Amino acid sequence: MAENTEQKLDRVQVKNAIQALQAFLKTKSGGDQLLLDDTQHISILFTLWKIPKKAQTIRIPLPHAQRSDTEEVCLFTRDEPNMTSDQTQRFYKRLLEERGVKYISEIIPFKVLKTEYKPFEAKRRLLGNFDLFLSDDRIRRLLSSHLGKHFYERKREPLSVNLQSKNMARDIHKVIQGTMMKVTNKGCCCMARVGHSGMTADELTENIESAVEMVKAKLYTKGPVIKQIHVKSLTSVALPLYTSELSNLTVLEEKNTQAAKKKNAEGKKQKRKAKSEAAKKEATTADKKVKKKKADDGEKEGEEEIPQLVPIETPRKKPKLEKPLKKKQLEKAPKAAAAKKGAKAQKKFSKKPGKMDSKVKRKVPKVK
């Protein structure tokens, strides 16, 4: 949350600016009585020293109602079980009257929104017919897909209310007559509506003071946040209400440097811690490995030596002894051998028929 180190608003300065703005709006209307009913919205513009890191939505309750009686308010309700759309509409109208809720000009059940306002042109007419939209918190998450992008582009999305609350009238009155400011992380300016031109200067002053205090308390950033505050209408220039001192800028820079140093110190501390943890892990793993190795060596030493198996040589068969040949065999054997030799000799010296030995000379008889 933001710290209230900034200066407070000067009430006299705020009232003078509002009176000047109201005088300008009267001269702009040209004194025509018909245009006096056409009130203009009055808003305050915040300029911040730095862009917020996170976007947020701040609801601001105001001491005086910032909406006129002529504004139209539409309420989206859920579909009651065992009831038609008309019966649901009549049920919630009777409930709001019993609880004393005012400013609700139209009640639209969720089923009617899905069927009758499904076309694009119907959604645009619905957006133009009402100034504010409320929604039962039980169906708030279902409306985004049925309303269309124009509601969100113009920042007219429905505000959720609790229709089951015991203090329903007070809660709805706070939402309708209060205001809302959206702080984005895309720029350093944001705006909140605080009243209309038909209100008195004192009422607008009190609304502005309460809105500024609420914004200071609920902003996520720390230190001096608000640089400038202006008040303006839709057609006027921005009149200054508050300008921060330059000393706040130096304080903000010092806080930023301190935060940066603190962040760097934390980063270094985390790095050292990570290194020490990594070293511890390495030491523990090394110890585990050494212990495991020792245990393995001890197990090997403790194990009994298993005798090696030696193959047993099987005895070889003794060679058979040749039996001595009998007499009959001895007699038959040389004959067979001689016959074989004779056959070989015959084959060696046998000649083919029809051929004569060239070495043998023929004897020619001499002629006397």
Side-chain angles (χ1 to χ4, degrees), residues 82-203:
N82 302 324
M83 286 188 186
T84 62
S85 299
D86 295 336
Q87 290 174 348
T88 302
Q89 192 173 9
R90 289 195 295 269
F91 169 75
Y92 279 105
K93 278 185 178 179
R94 187 168 59 253
L95 178 65
L96 294 176
E97 289 177 359
E98 290 176 356
R99 298 293 181 89
V101 178
K102 300 178 181 178
Y103 307 108
I104 304 294
S105 55
E106 185 69 24
I107 295 174
I108 299 177
F110 184 60
K111 188 176 181 180
V112 175
L113 177 66
K114 290 191 294 184
T115 55
E116 296 184 8
Y117 293 96
K118 189 175 182 180
F120 177 76
E121 291 298 328
K123 293 177 183 176
R124 293 195 66 179
R125 286 197 302 272
L126 177 65
L127 181 61
N129 290 337
F130 298 97
D131 300 296
L132 179 66
F133 294 93
L134 302 178
S135 170
D136 188 351
D137 56 359
R138 293 171 290 182
I139 62 166
R140 177 65 183 83
R141 59 186 178 84
L142 304 175
L143 294 179
S144 58
S145 58
H146 296 283
L147 291 177
K149 62 180 181 180
H150 293 286
F151 279 80
Y152 297 90
E153 287 179 353
R154 298 186 187 182
K155 298 179 181 179
R156 299 277 300 280
E157 62 270 18
L159 305 177
S160 60
V161 293
N162 185 8
L163 298 181
Q164 294 178 325
S165 175
K166 295 180 180 179
N167 300 319
M168 187 171 62
R170 185 191 64 186
D171 296 341
I172 293 177
H173 182 75
K174 280 184 179 180
V175 174
I176 293 175
Q177 299 304 339
T179 187
M180 180 183 295
M181 188 179 74
K182 291 189 175 183
V183 182
T184 64
N185 54 355
K186 298 179 181 179
C188 59
C189 293
C190 46
M191 185 179 290
R193 177 181 168 184
V194 292
H196 56 86
S197 58
M199 298 173 65
T200 62
D202 293 330
E203 291 176 348

Side-chain angles (χ1 to χ4, degrees), residues 272-283:
R272 290 174 186 171
K273 190 176 181 181
K275 287 182 180 179
S276 63
E277 287 179 355
K280 286 180 181 178
K281 285 182 180 179
E282 290 178 358

Side-chain angles (χ1 to χ4, degrees), residues 300-327:
K300 287 180 180 178
E301 291 177 358
E303 289 177 355
E304 295 180 357
E305 293 185 359
I306 300 173
Q308 295 182 355
L309 298 175
V310 179
I312 301 172
E313 294 183 359
T314 56
R316 296 180 181 179
K317 292 183 180 180
K318 293 181 180 180
K320 291 182 180 181
L321 297 175
E322 295 181 357
K323 295 180 180 180
L325 297 175
K326 296 179 180 180
K327 289 182 179 181

Side-chain angles (χ1 to χ4, degrees), residues 259-272:
K261 288 180 180 179
K262 188 176 180 181
K263 190 175 181 180
N264 293 332
E266 288 179 355
K268 290 180 181 179
K269 190 175 180 181
Q270 288 178 357
K271 286 182 180 179
R272 290 174 186 171

Side-chain angles (χ1 to χ4, degrees), residues 361-367:
K361 292 182 180 182
R362 294 176 67 182
K363 293 182 179 182
V364 180
K366 294 180 180 182
V367 179

